[in-house]
């Protein structure tokens, strides 16, 4: 999280500097960020995936969220 926030802070600083000095910028803000994390060793011999692979998604621009759902409670079968 800290690395991603630092990166976006630096991009924002560069955008502001460009706009102030050149009146335009080639840099853009990111709406979303995805990070892939691998850990835990191979899932099995020769595997290209790890036991504890996971992906984290950060939505930086909340206008990108078009909807969401609330999971229902688990029902019990009779």
């Amino acid at each position: 999280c800290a690395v991603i926030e630092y990166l976006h802070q630096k991009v924002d600083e560069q955008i502001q500097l460009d706009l102030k000095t050149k009146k335009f910028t080639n840099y853009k803000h990111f709406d979303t960020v995805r990070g892939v994390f691998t850990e835990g060793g191979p899932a099995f011999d020769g595997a290209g995936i790890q036991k504890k692979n996971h992906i984290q998604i950060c939505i930086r621009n909340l206008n990108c969220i078009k909807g969401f759902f609330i999971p229902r409670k688990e029902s019990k079968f009779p």
Side-chain angles (χ1 to χ4, degrees), residues 72-77:
R72 62 187 176 102
K73 294 186 190 287
E74 184 176 331
S75 61
K76 296 184 180 184
F77 290 98

Side-chain angles (χ1 to χ4, degrees), residues 30-32 59-67:
F30 289 88
D31 288 335
T32 60
I59 308 300
R60 297 186 50 80
N61 178 355
L62 298 181
N63 292 322
C64 291
I65 299 174
K66 301 301 180 195

Side-chain angles (χ1 to χ4, degrees), residues 13-56:
E13 288 172 5
Q14 187 62 51
I15 289 171
Q16 297 304 321
L17 180 63
D18 285 353
L19 292 175
K20 187 176 181 180
T21 58
K22 301 187 297 187
K23 307 294 186 216
F24 73 95
T25 185
N26 291 322
Y27 289 89
K28 296 181 181 177
H29 290 106
F30 289 88
D31 288 335
T32 60
V33 179
R34 175 187 58 120
V36 178
F37 301 90
T38 59
E39 55 184 315
F44 54 87
D45 287 340
I49 60 172
Q50 307 292 310
K51 290 179 182 176
K52 297 182 179 182
N53 283 0
H54 63 280
I55 297 172
Q56 292 184 359

